[in-house]
Amino acid sequence: MNVALLTIGYFVFPVIIILLFNKYKWAKSVGTVILAYAAGIIPALFGLTQFPEGTAGLAIQKNIMSIAVPIAIPLMLFNCNFKLWTKSLPKTAAALGGGILAVLVAVVSGFFIFRNTGVDDIANVSAMMTGIYTGGTMNFNALASALEVDPTTIATVLAFEMIVTFPIIMFIVGGGYKFFRKILPFQDEATVVADSDGKDLEHGIEQYSGMLRVRTFFRSLIGLGISIGFLGIGAGLSLLFTGTLNELIIILTITTLSIIASFSKFIREIPKTFELGMFFILIFSVVVASQFDPYHLNKSSLIVGGFLLFIVLVASLLHLLLCRIFKVSGDLFSVALVALLCSPPFVPPVVGAMGNKKVLISGIVIGLIGYAIGTYLGVALAWALGGI
């Protein structure tokens, strides 16, 4: 596919999705996020949006993904009431602790079940799975480098990781969170969400109508400018302390500054910042889905897929059980599951699909802590399992 056309499509499709969402009831029922994934995955299934390493197309996809979510996070946090999150802090800790324990149990048990089935370098693969399922690909790449894992093994694991985890995202944003609300405690915090002025948003939190009114549009650009400024500060601090653009430092800085900014009445009352943030999330979702590649596999590597599937299923079920014991809400479980299995950038799309921005901060915090400890857990596990 032509790179220029691809880039235009990544920005045009979210606009079309928002227009459909505003006009048609069926689009409201499906949800903007699931429509964005559909817009990306359809050309991907025909092999139109996969690019080899080092090509301009892949570089554009990576650049859009690395910028879209850091811009979206502040916009989505600006009009959040931080006091609502502090009240749920104990439950956030329970969701985080339960998720990490569930991943460790799943990985260790999977190691003993699959260690004689032909999985190459299974101790290190187990370690990488611990890293990727407690924060995302940043931990995975760090562990792959630290443990000097064979590139072929890395590519195989990554390919199956996306095939295994992508359906989970699709399930949750497509309505799976409603299933978790039935199993876990639910206090109606997602059906009626109060904004900063105390108004009830009975029809969800995405209210795109009126965004292009002159006064509203230019005021929302103030929020966008502040968000871009926070991204610049995060990138600057990352370069200062590490010499590179470290995702953990950037997202941690952005989230901290955004929470502080949310206490300002002027910033909190900037209109349509959440919807503008969702626009960038839709861009991110289209790009992610467009990278889906179910064909880049071979039969000899299917056992790796079975190993990963085992880890995800066992970890998810055990996490669900622990959240049930500690009375964690269904929405908080959903964002915790996505934050740990997929990484913090995937939390905002789930929040948008659920219509519950109260759990946005909790999900991001859970993912950030996973970022911070995932690499250490992976190295420790590689050392322990490697000695068996």
Side-chain angles (χ1 to χ4, degrees), residues 95-111 125-136 139 143 165 168 307-308 310-320 322 333 336-342 366 370 373-375 377-378 381 385:
L96 169 64
I100 291 175
L101 177 61
V103 168
L104 289 173
V105 170
V107 170
V108 172
S109 59
F111 169 82
V125 170
S126 300
M128 291 190 297
M129 286 301 95
T130 303
I132 202 169
Y133 290 139
T134 52
N139 289 340
L143 285 165
T165 56
I168 294 177
F307 180 41
L308 269 64
F310 173 86
I311 292 174
V312 171
L313 291 179
V314 172
S316 300
L317 292 173
L318 182 56
H319 191 189
L320 181 63
L322 292 171
F333 167 76
L337 182 68
V338 169
L340 292 173
L341 293 186
C342 305
I366 289 171
I373 67 176
T375 302
L377 288 174
L381 201 62
L385 297 179

Side-chain angles (χ1 to χ4, degrees), residues 114-178:
F114 285 84
R115 64 174 173 168
N116 295 320
T117 59
V119 178
D120 294 332
D121 202 9
I122 189 169
N124 285 339
V125 170
S126 300
M128 291 190 297
M129 286 301 95
T130 303
I132 202 169
Y133 290 139
T134 52
T137 54
M138 183 184 73
N139 289 340
F140 177 91
N141 292 329
L143 285 165
S145 177
L147 300 174
E148 298 181 349
V149 179
D150 180 74
T152 302
T153 301
I154 295 173
T156 302
V157 172
L158 275 177
F160 274 108
E161 190 276 331
M162 187 167 186
I163 287 177
V164 170
T165 56
F166 188 78
I168 294 177
I169 301 172
M170 296 294 290
F171 168 71
I172 294 177
V173 300
Y177 59 88
K178 296 177 183 177

Side-chain angles (χ1 to χ4, degrees), residues 3 10 14 26-27 97 106 109 114-115 130 194 224 239 252 259 261 264 281 285 313 316-317 339 341 359 365:
V3 173
Y10 283 146
W26 66 264
S109 59
F114 285 84
R115 64 174 173 168
T130 303
L224 178 60
L239 291 172
L252 184 59
I259 293 171
S264 165
I281 290 302
S285 300
L313 291 179
S316 300
L317 292 173
L341 293 186
V359 295
V365 168

Side-chain angles (χ1 to χ4, degrees), residues 1-11 13 43 47-51 55-58 60-61 64 290:
M1 179 177 285
N2 182 276
V3 173
L5 183 62
L6 176 74
T7 306
I8 294 171
Y10 283 146
F11 288 89
F13 275 118
L48 300 175
T49 52
Q50 289 89 30
F51 301 93
T55 59
L58 184 61
I60 287 173
Q61 289 174 331
I64 292 176
S290 72

Side-chain angles (χ1 to χ4, degrees), residues 79 219-220 222-223 226 265-273:
N79 66 357
R219 287 187 66 191
S220 66
I222 296 174
I226 297 172
K265 184 178 180 181
F266 171 77
I267 292 177
R268 197 167 57 247
E269 292 183 349
I270 297 175
K272 303 298 181 181
T273 56

